[in-house]
Amino acid sequence: MNPIVRKATRDDIPILLTFEQGVIEAERPFDPTIQDGDIYYYNIEDLISNKDSEVYVAEIDGTIVASGYAKIKPDRHYLKHKLQGYLGFMFVPEKYRGHELNKLIIDALTRWCYKRNIFEIRLDVYQDNIPAIKAYEKVGFKKHMIRMRLDIENFDF
């Protein structure tokens, strides 16, 4: 197994759309607020074509086996950095997990950010998604902040 990491192209969109559904399916158990039925998180074509974002894929023998994107985003005015590299769309189909493909994608994305003088890298992960957290910690990410929520729909005020 010799994976090749490369920038995604528009020709990759059909497989990336299936990967997107894999991300959604993996995240639904962690998030009761995700709508039922067919939904989409990303505008993959825009992520591929926008100068402020990049999608990378890993291939093995011509088959795409991992994905991820980086997007340069403005950050809050009071932080030391003005821009952040936001990572998302991290997906490896189950049969290819455990081969550090996610690390290869993250390495490519962080290099892309570094070349653009973006040194603050962020991503979101559900707190109960322990395998994902371990994978991100393995490449150097640290827990930083917890986002909390409260559903008050059935509260009796």
Side-chain angles (χ1 to χ4, degrees):
M1 181 176 85
N2 230 354
I4 296 167
V5 177
R6 64 169 176 81
K7 292 179 181 182
T9 68
R10 284 186 170 89
D11 292 339
D12 300 325
I13 290 175
I15 188 70
L16 293 175
L17 289 170
T18 66
F19 279 21
E20 178 181 29
Q21 293 309 304
V23 171
I24 293 165
E25 181 181 322
E27 291 184 348
R28 273 198 165 112
F30 301 113
D31 190 341
T33 68
I34 297 175
Q35 297 175 20
D36 294 330
D38 294 336
I39 62 166
Y40 299 91
Y41 282 173
Y42 315 111
N43 181 336
I44 296 170
E45 186 169 352
D46 183 62
L47 288 169
I48 290 172
S49 63
N50 191 311
K51 69 175 181 58
D52 289 329
S53 61
E54 195 67 74
V55 179
Y56 276 88
V57 296
E59 283 186 359
I60 297 174
D61 298 327
T63 300
I64 296 175
V65 296
S67 67
Y69 80 76
K71 185 173 190 167
I72 298 171
K73 298 169 63 170
D75 217 327
R76 292 156 291 187
H77 70 279
Y78 53 83
L79 296 177
K80 292 178 181 178
H81 58 277
K82 299 300 175 211
L83 300 171
Q84 65 168 270
Y86 181 83
L87 306 188
F89 193 24
M90 302 299 182
F91 185 73
V92 178
E94 196 166 331
K95 98 181 227 184
Y96 294 101
R97 292 179 189 160
H99 300 285
E100 296 195 354
L101 296 168
N102 194 50
K103 179 187 181 328
L104 293 175
I105 295 289
I106 290 173
D107 287 349
L109 295 171
T110 54
R111 271 193 307 276
W112 181 85
C113 290
Y114 186 87
K115 288 177 183 177
R116 282 150 189 80
N117 295 314
I118 305 299
F119 307 118
E120 182 69 21
I121 309 298
R122 306 257 176 139
L123 58 76
D124 291 321
V125 60
Y126 289 101
Q127 74 173 12
D128 293 331
N129 191 346
I130 303 305
I133 291 170
K134 286 182 180 183
Y136 297 135
E137 288 176 336
K138 192 173 182 179
V139 297
F141 281 89
K142 298 192 181 337
K143 294 175 186 169
H144 180 67
M145 180 179 272
I146 296 174
R147 178 181 290 171
M148 300 178 74
R149 66 176 287 272
L150 175 64
D151 181 353
I152 64 168
E153 181 178 357
N154 296 312
F155 273 30
D156 185 21
F157 287 104

